[in-house]
Amino acid sequence: MTNDIRSMNEIPERLNSVRERIRAAAAASGRDPDQVTLLAVSKTRPVSDILAAHAAGQRRFGENYLQDALPKVRGLDGADIEWHFIGRLQSNKTAEVAHHFAWVHGLDRLKHAERLSTQRPAELPPLQVCIQVNMSGEASKGGVAPDELPGLALAVAALPRLRLRGLMTMPDPSSEPQVQREAFARLRGLLDGLRAQGLALDTLSMGMSGDMEAAIAEGATIVRIGTDIFGSRG
Ligand SMILES: *Cc1c(COP(=O)(O)O)cnc(C)c1O
C-alpha cells in the first residue's frame, strides 16, 4: 500500500534527500541550486501522498494520466498547488488539460498546441508549455524529431494563449548513462539554437529519479522526480 502511515512518514524524508541531491548536483557543476525546480511526479499516487509532500513544502506536482489526475486536481482545489501535465496528449483530452493545469511538458504536435491555445480559459494565465524532443530516434517514443523542432517552436511561440518556455526529453531507459547524458547535452544545444533564433526560452525539463544528477550537470531547470519521493510504483 502506498497510502499507509509508514509511507506517509517516509515522504518528507525522501523529499529532503532529493532536495539535498539537487543542491549537491548543482554545486558540483557550479550552478545555483535555485535554478533547479523540483517537480514531484505524483502519478498513480493517492491524495494522501500528495498532502504529505505538500505539508513538507512541495508545491509543484506532475501527473501523466488525465483520468487518474482529474479527481486529485479537483479534490485539492484551493490547496496552492501548481499542476504540470507530463503525459502524452490526446486531441480529445486537450480541453481538460487546458482547464486544469498550469504547465504542459509533452507537447509535440502543432494541432495539440492550437487546441490548447483555443481552449485555455480567458481568466487563467497563459498555459506554460515545453516541447518534447525525441533524442533517441525510437519510433515508439513521444516527441518531435530534432530537425522538426525549429518549425514547431516558432509556430507554438506565436499562439496567443500558450507561453513556450523550453524543451523536455525522456531518455531511452535502456541506454547507457553516458548516452543519456549526451542526450541531455544535445537538448541544451537545441534550446540554445532556438534562443539564437530569438525565442525567449528558459526551461530544460529533464532528469528523473535515475538520471537527475546527469541532467542537472547538463543544465536541467526542472527535474521530474517520482520514485525517489514516493517510493516505487508497485
Ligand atoms: C513517471 C515519470 C517521471 C518520474 O519518473 P521516476 O523515475 O519515478 O522519477 C518523470 N517524467 C515523466 C514524463 C514520467 O512519466
Side-chain angles (χ1 to χ4, degrees):
M1 274 171 70
T2 54
N3 60 343
D4 64 10
I5 296 297
R6 191 181 56 85
S7 76
M8 285 181 60
N9 288 332
E10 280 174 2
I11 288 169
E13 281 172 37
R14 289 170 168 275
L15 196 51
N16 276 332
S17 88
V18 167
R19 288 171 177 149
E20 190 43 53
R21 279 169 61 198
I22 291 174
R23 274 193 288 276
S29 46
R31 299 186 57 207
D32 176 354
D34 291 343
Q35 290 174 355
V36 184
T37 295
L38 172 58
L39 181 65
V41 176
S42 50
K43 64 185 181 200
T44 77
R45 310 293 177 174
V47 165
S48 56
D49 281 12
I50 296 174
L51 288 174
H54 187 273
Q58 182 64 29
R59 291 294 179 270
R60 297 178 176 91
F61 292 87
E63 290 281 341
N64 280 53
Y65 311 109
L66 201 58
Q67 297 321 313
D68 167 49
L70 286 178
K72 295 189 259 182
V73 173
R74 292 197 180 104
L76 291 165
D77 187 31
D80 182 27
I81 288 178
E82 184 180 272
W83 293 101
H84 293 230
F85 187 74
I86 62 173
R88 287 190 89 160
L89 288 162
Q90 290 173 271
S91 292
N92 60 348
K93 307 269 174 61
T94 54
E96 285 168 307
V97 173
H99 278 76
H100 296 290
F101 289 82
W103 281 70
V104 168
H105 291 235
L107 193 62
D108 62 1
R109 294 171 67 177
L110 183 57
K111 183 180 147 200
H112 292 159
E114 288 169 344
R115 290 177 67 89
L116 289 168
S117 183
T118 303
Q119 293 163 339
R120 182 68 169 172
E123 68 275 16
L124 294 180
L127 186 62
Q128 312 293 303
V129 300
C130 290
I131 293 176
Q132 184 176 351
V133 186
N134 182 338
M135 303 305 292
S136 67
E138 267 184 295
S140 62
K141 288 268 153 47
V144 67
D147 59 347
E148 291 167 14
L149 174 64
L152 179 60
L154 289 170
V156 170
L159 292 170
R161 299 291 293 137
L162 302 188
R163 174 139 179 252
L164 180 61
R165 296 293 297 270
L167 305 177
M168 179 272 222
T169 200
M170 298 262 291
D172 172 5
S174 66
S175 63
E176 296 292 313
Q178 185 55 33
V179 174
Q180 297 183 354
R181 180 157 174 175
E182 283 162 14
F184 294 146
R186 281 186 288 128
L187 193 74
R188 186 190 53 203
L190 292 173
L191 188 82
D192 290 342
L194 294 175
R195 282 176 168 157
Q197 291 190 38
L199 294 178
L201 306 178
D202 61 8
T203 301
L204 281 173
S205 169
M206 57 189 196
M208 316 199 308
S209 293
D211 54 23
M212 176 178 105
E213 278 82 2
I216 291 171
E218 295 299 347
T221 65
I222 298 181
V223 290
R224 310 179 309 267
I225 309 297
T227 306
D228 284 357
I229 296 172
F230 296 110
S232 62
R233 287 180 291 275

